[in-house]
Amino acid sequence: FRSANQSDVKVGQFLDYCRKQGVRPENCTTVGDGDNDIGLFELTQRGILVTEGKHDDGYHGRISPELRKSAWREVTCLADVPALLTAQ
């Protein structure tokens, strides 16, 4: 389920950061691992889903279909993110 409150807070903080830095959100890539990151993924259209420690078995932090659909790319380990970004 999507945690609207946490998602809204993250999006608000991200937009505030972008405004202060003079960066457009659509020029950013976001990284996340939970439903509360869907808002960021949708905002930037460049969300990287980290599935490390997640399983579709429902016991170890389920990856929702909405989260997976909102992701631009998916990696199994956070350490894989830099290589993905430099390949772009």
Side-chain angles (χ1 to χ4, degrees), residues 14 21 42 52 67 69 74 79:
F14 177 72
Q21 298 300 315
E42 290 174 345
E52 185 172 32
L67 176 60
K69 183 179 177 183
E74 187 174 316

Side-chain angles (χ1 to χ4, degrees), residues 39-72:
L40 291 173
F41 287 7
E42 290 174 345
L43 178 66
T44 64
Q45 296 295 303
R46 288 180 59 91
I48 300 174
L49 171 60
V50 181
T51 61
E52 185 172 32
K54 305 273 185 185
H55 304 281
D56 287 325
D57 62 10
Y59 294 105
H60 297 94
R62 188 176 174 284
I63 301 165
S64 73
E66 184 180 13
L67 176 60
R68 186 163 265 144
K69 183 179 177 183
S70 69
W72 167 65

Side-chain angles (χ1 to χ4, degrees), residues 4-81:
N5 195 25
Q6 285 182 353
S7 180
D8 292 346
V9 169
K10 281 188 169 189
V11 167
Q13 290 172 337
F14 177 72
L15 289 173
D16 187 48
Y17 176 81
C18 288
R19 182 183 52 77
K20 288 178 181 176
Q21 298 300 315
V23 177
R24 295 174 56 172
E26 59 270 18
N27 292 335
C28 297
T29 300
T30 52
V31 179
D33 66 353
D35 280 1
N36 62 359
D37 297 309
I38 292 171
L40 291 173
F41 287 7
E42 290 174 345
L43 178 66
T44 64
Q45 296 295 303
R46 288 180 59 91
I48 300 174
L49 171 60
V50 181
T51 61
E52 185 172 32
K54 305 273 185 185
H55 304 281
D56 287 325
D57 62 10
Y59 294 105
H60 297 94
R62 188 176 174 284
I63 301 165
S64 73
E66 184 180 13
L67 176 60
R68 186 163 265 144
K69 183 179 177 183
S70 69
W72 167 65
R73 296 283 190 268
E74 187 174 316
V75 295
T76 55
C77 179
L78 188 58
D80 294 336
V81 171

